[in-house]
Amino acid sequence: MTLDSLTFGQPATIVAISDTDALLEMALREIGFAERDTVELMHTGPLGRRPLCFRLNETLVALRLDEARAITIELAE
Amino acid sequence: MTVLADDRTREEQPAAEAGTRRMVALVGPPNCGKSTLFNGLTGGRSKVANYPGATVEVRAGAMTLPSGREITLYDLPGIYGTASRSKDADVALEVIGGQSATVSRPDLLLVLVEAATLRTHLHTVLQAREFGLPMIVVVNMIDLAERDGLEFDLDALSREIGVPVVACRATRSAGRAALVEEVEARLDDLESARPNLDETIPLKTLQAEARRMAKAAIVSEPLGNMMTRKLDRVLLHPFAGPLILFSLLFLVFQAVFSWATPLMDGIEAGMGLLQTSVATLLPEGWLADLLTDGIIAGVGSVIVFLPQIVILFSFILLLEASGYMARAAFLMDELMMRVGLNGRAFIPLLSSFACAIPGIMAARVIGSERDRITTILIAPLMTCSARLPVYTLLIAAFIPPTSVGPFGLQGLVMFGLYMFAVISGVTVAFVLKRTLTAGGVQPLILELPSYKVPNAGDFFAGLWMRASAFLRRAGTIILATSIGLWFLASYPASAGSLRETFAGQIGALIEPILAPIGFNLEIAIALIPGFAAREVAVGALGTVYAVQGGEENIQGLAAVLQNAWSLPTGLAFIAWYVFAPQCFATLATMRRETNSWAWTGFGFAYLLGLAYIAAGATYWIASALV
């Protein structure tokens, strides 16, 4: 599954970051997304539950659905 | 391209001196405390290009090391890595890479990282090795991280990275001491701090390396900042969040309008006193006239707005430093996107409420060129503080000081004007994104920093920078136009009425164009210098009516206008000011940032057109109703 379909209270581990859009991949990695990191959905925006705000390790990062779709995750046990 | 305020002085320095004076640059991700460290190390003595946004510009400052040696310190825009994604990051990368035409390449990099986010941002530090410059890694805000229960082994980290690593608490001089010592020591032996790296490692590999190093460097790690979590539960709540944001904006504008009043009354009284004393001390004649009617009336009527500008910037600075501004961008993103803007445009647009110039420059953080141009084009619609003098004057003159519930009617009208400007900006953006600037959407990848108590030193340094920029304008452009306008409105000496003076003759030329929207000759005259800077129009009206009225200048200008203008004219003038592209500096900045005469011309034309229509519609509707 990808990051955009993560629900509240369900920590997940990043498995892969899509390199289809190399610039996007770079941007996501630079802000800190990396394989094996833990992510958790923390907040959603007021309009149409967008954008999404994730806890990434000890930081908070906001993404839109399109960006979140580029990150493949698996749910933590 | 960034223009460094002191680039000329550097060029003039003899080569020998430039050779001994070392350049040290602060680099790192946004929100890691670079500006605080910069202010601490330089004692706040810095030179900034024109109008500073957050850290959009490169700041340069002198720093004295314990040995008495002076170095130059740069504060570069925040970067997460070596990829160039925005004009903002380009500036930083150019300087570090030695490709900047105005700033010489640094001799030493201080690579900052916030202790609490060390694990996630360590790869930025590792990437910085690629620049090939000697570097010192600064683990900043170590106190906050340790308070949250983190423990670090920085010696281990230093061994892993192969360059010196120091802990730092940028807000305290004791917390900076270790860093200062390290800088002093390494400057004599720069090679010892040069990273040993001769290849470019892919980011993915670097991240894995960074995580491994972090494991060695972070001895103990708790769950993260609980305070931030608790606050966000409320401040980012889908219902409470926007409500709080809106209330906060409302509070800001009420504060700007009502808290400043006593201070403004004080300044006004002082100016009046000054005018009377000059009038009694000096013999009657042109010199006394120039001082009282020209300079004191003109400059005084602008200085009086300093309290409001200080209050507005105080809020902006506090919201930025506390970490709330990124939350505001998060809350606004979807709405902004639906109207064709970017969540990141929120900060440039909010800055534009202070002044469109830093706002237009702050638009550099927007990566997509089309989104950036859209933002630049609507930035002048956000009610800048230079319009406040005009609004304040006209509201005082034409809106009764009655109450509506707990709020003053005048404050409500002011808030309404701000809202009207926002709605207009959104509408224009909506139209632009479907016509002239149609195109792809830039991704939103926004870090929300943990909440912090703003640092008092940074706050006052920032406030001083902005207040002094305003006062400099009052002392230069506004002083010059006041004198010029006084001359134009007083001569030729044979003139019997305002219409016969030079100003009247110029004003009479544009009066026919402005007459249909209810503007009289005095307004036409005041608008001319108003193109130099918006608030000058107030000074110009002060000058025009003082010259014309003689004794009347003892009353407030508001009272004078109340008698001189009809209500529809007053309201039309307010409406004009919502849109009018009346500030050369803004147009010049637009030209520089878009690098296009066409976009600048378009911006000027559409704003002027909207101003004319809005003023006309207001005048006609108000005339029909009154």
Side-chain angles (χ1 to χ4, degrees):
Chain A
M1 68 192 277
T2 50
L3 191 53
D4 57 294
S5 46
L6 194 60
T7 51
F8 285 109
Q10 184 60 265
T13 306
I14 296 175
V15 178
I17 300 172
S18 159
D19 58 3
T20 317
D21 179 347
L23 276 179
L24 178 63
E25 187 207 349
M26 190 66 131
L28 289 169
R29 288 192 187 279
E30 283 199 343
I31 208 152
F33 288 97
E35 286 80 3
R36 290 195 292 283
D37 278 0
T38 311
V39 280
E40 187 183 345
L41 180 66
M42 300 300 282
H43 309 280
T44 52
L47 254 185
R49 296 172 55 81
R50 276 174 275 179
L52 306 166
C53 178
F54 299 97
R55 182 179 62 77
L56 164 68
N57 302 324
E58 68 292 335
T59 65
L60 279 175
V61 183
L63 300 178
R64 294 206 194 107
L65 292 182
D66 284 344
E67 288 82 70
R69 233 170 255 134
I71 298 172
T72 310
I73 51 166
E74 71 185 14
L75 296 181
E77 294 308 312
Chain B
M1 186 46 234
T2 297
V3 184
L4 196 73
D6 67 346
D7 55 347
R8 200 181 312 147
T9 46
R10 176 145 331 101
E11 278 166 25
E12 285 160 7
Q13 273 176 358
E17 196 192 320
T20 55
R21 191 174 175 124
R22 297 293 192 180
M23 313 284 169
V24 177
L26 296 174
V27 284
N31 314 310
C32 66
K34 279 190 307 296
S35 297
T36 305
L37 182 60
F38 179 86
N39 287 338
L41 291 176
T42 59
R45 297 167 297 154
S46 71
K47 293 176 173 180
V48 192
N50 304 317
Y51 289 77
T55 315
V56 169
E57 296 292 307
V58 177
R59 288 200 292 164
M63 172 187 170
T64 313
L65 293 171
S67 64
R69 180 178 188 175
E70 284 230 330
I71 59 169
T72 300
L73 199 66
Y74 300 138
D75 183 13
L76 298 180
I79 44 170
Y80 283 106
T82 53
S84 140
R85 278 200 312 277
S86 63
K87 294 228 161 187
D88 204 14
D90 286 347
V91 169
L93 294 172
E94 258 177 33
V95 171
I96 302 168
Q99 292 121 16
S100 165
T102 47
V103 180
S104 45
R105 193 173 196 207
D107 300 295
L108 177 68
L109 295 181
L110 302 184
V111 183
L112 268 77
V113 59
E114 185 188 344
T117 64
L118 181 66
R119 188 143 67 111
T120 313
H121 290 158
L122 188 59
H123 66 270
T124 306
V125 173
L126 298 186
Q127 262 192 313
R129 294 180 304 182
E130 282 177 26
F131 296 121
L133 290 173
M135 58 190 258
I136 298 172
V137 176
V138 184
V139 179
N140 195 22
M141 302 192 231
I142 193 97
D143 52 315
L144 295 179
E146 286 176 345
R147 197 192 56 199
D148 282 347
L150 272 99
E151 278 177 52
F152 301 95
D153 181 351
L154 296 184
D155 290 334
L157 189 62
S158 176
R159 276 194 304 275
E160 291 275 4
I161 311 177
V163 296
V165 176
V166 287
C168 178
R169 185 181 177 191
T171 48
R172 293 273 179 277
S173 89
R176 297 187 299 261
L179 170 64
V180 172
E181 266 172 47
E182 190 70 44
V183 170
E184 175 103 70
R186 297 291 171 176
L187 276 180
D188 290 323
D189 182 15
L190 282 171
E191 286 315 308
S192 68
R194 196 183 294 276
N196 182 16
L197 187 82
D198 45 17
E199 60 190 327
T200 305
I201 303 169
L203 188 51
K204 192 174 167 178
T205 319
L206 270 186
Q207 282 184 314
E209 203 184 334
R211 299 295 189 268
R212 185 185 56 74
M213 288 185 188
K215 217 171 243 174
I218 302 172
V219 180
S220 141
E221 190 180 16
L223 262 172
N225 191 319
M226 292 315 287
M227 178 60 128
T228 294
R229 259 189 208 210
K230 281 184 189 151
L231 278 171
D232 274 341
R233 227 167 266 161
V234 180
L235 296 177
L236 293 184
H237 187 274
F239 298 107
L243 212 63
I244 293 169
L245 175 61
F246 190 76
S247 313
L248 209 60
L249 293 179
F250 187 76
L251 173 78
V252 171
F253 296 128
Q254 276 286 326
V256 165
F257 201 66
S258 53
W259 300 356
T261 314
L263 293 167
M264 295 170 71
D265 288 348
I267 296 176
E268 229 159 29
M271 291 295 170
L273 205 65
L274 202 61
Q275 267 177 325
T276 345
S277 358
V278 169
T280 45
L281 284 177
L282 286 181
E284 227 171 278
W286 69 269
L287 183 63
D289 278 356
L290 170 65
L291 283 176
T292 55
D293 293 338
I295 295 175
I296 301 176
V299 175
S301 55
V302 173
I303 300 258
V304 82
F305 300 100
L306 184 65
Q308 294 188 320
I309 281 159
V310 167
I311 291 177
L312 183 68
F313 272 120
S314 301
F315 276 103
I316 290 184
L317 287 170
L318 290 176
L319 291 179
E320 224 162 75
S322 64
Y324 185 76
M325 209 67 113
R327 266 83 185 171
F330 172 78
L331 290 170
M332 297 296 291
D333 183 70
E334 181 65 19
L335 182 66
M336 305 271 282
M337 207 175 71
R338 287 191 191 180
V339 300
L341 283 166
N342 189 294
R344 282 176 190 274
F346 182 72
I347 293 163
L349 291 179
L350 195 63
S351 306
S352 300
F353 279 101
C355 173
I357 293 168
I360 288 173
M361 297 202 305
R364 287 177 191 176
V365 299
I366 302 169
S368 149
E369 193 62 13
R370 288 158 190 279
D371 284 2
R372 197 172 69 88
I373 290 196
T374 313
T375 308
I376 288 175
L377 285 173
I378 66 162
L381 278 177
M382 303 301 117
T383 311
C384 70
S385 52
R387 284 188 184 91
L388 265 182
V390 184
Y391 286 173
T392 311
L393 172 70
L394 293 167
I395 284 176
F398 294 101
I399 308 294
T402 50
S403 290
V404 181
F407 306 110
L409 179 62
Q410 294 185 331
L412 282 175
V413 168
M414 180 67 92
F415 185 68
L417 284 171
Y418 275 82
M419 282 297 119
F420 180 53
V422 171
I423 293 165
S424 312
V426 163
T427 313
V428 171
F430 188 84
V431 174
L432 282 176
K433 275 303 275 186
R434 271 146 196 82
T435 51
L436 295 174
T437 58
V441 189
Q442 199 220 0
L444 174 86
I445 303 176
L446 178 72
E447 183 177 0
L448 308 186
S450 57
Y451 290 102
K452 293 178 189 79
V453 178
N455 174 257
D458 285 351
F459 173 74
F460 287 113
L463 206 54
W464 168 246
M465 220 144 66
R466 283 142 177 107
S468 56
F470 175 78
L471 288 177
R472 250 197 319 276
R473 269 154 71 82
T476 52
I477 302 180
I478 293 165
L479 178 67
T481 47
S482 296
I483 295 173
L485 193 77
W486 170 83
F487 173 78
L488 290 175
S490 307
Y491 290 87
S494 62
S497 71
L498 185 64
R499 195 170 281 274
E500 291 164 29
T501 61
F502 293 128
Q505 292 168 24
I506 301 170
L509 287 179
I510 57 169
E511 193 194 2
I513 309 168
L514 296 174
I517 59 170
F519 287 9
N520 57 25
L521 180 66
E522 286 79 9
I523 297 181
I525 296 171
L527 285 182
I528 297 167
F531 272 95
R534 284 186 179 86
E535 64 272 35
V536 176
V538 171
L541 286 171
T543 310
V544 167
Y545 279 101
V547 170
Q548 202 185 21
E551 292 303 301
E552 268 174 340
N553 61 3
I554 297 159
Q555 301 177 29
L557 183 54
V560 176
L561 294 184
Q562 218 167 2
N563 293 326
W565 295 0
S566 68
L567 179 63
T569 294
L571 298 180
F573 194 67
I574 296 179
W576 169 272
Y577 257 82
V578 172
F579 297 102
Q582 282 206 325
C583 166
F584 276 140
T586 299
L587 292 170
T589 311
M590 242 187 202
R591 161 76 185 95
R592 201 179 69 204
E593 296 292 317
T594 57
N595 197 24
S596 149
W597 281 112
W599 281 124
T600 312
F602 172 78
F604 178 76
Y606 102 81
L607 289 168
L608 199 63
L610 284 183
Y612 195 86
I613 294 168
T618 307
Y619 181 69
W620 301 320
I621 293 169
S623 298
L625 293 178
V626 170

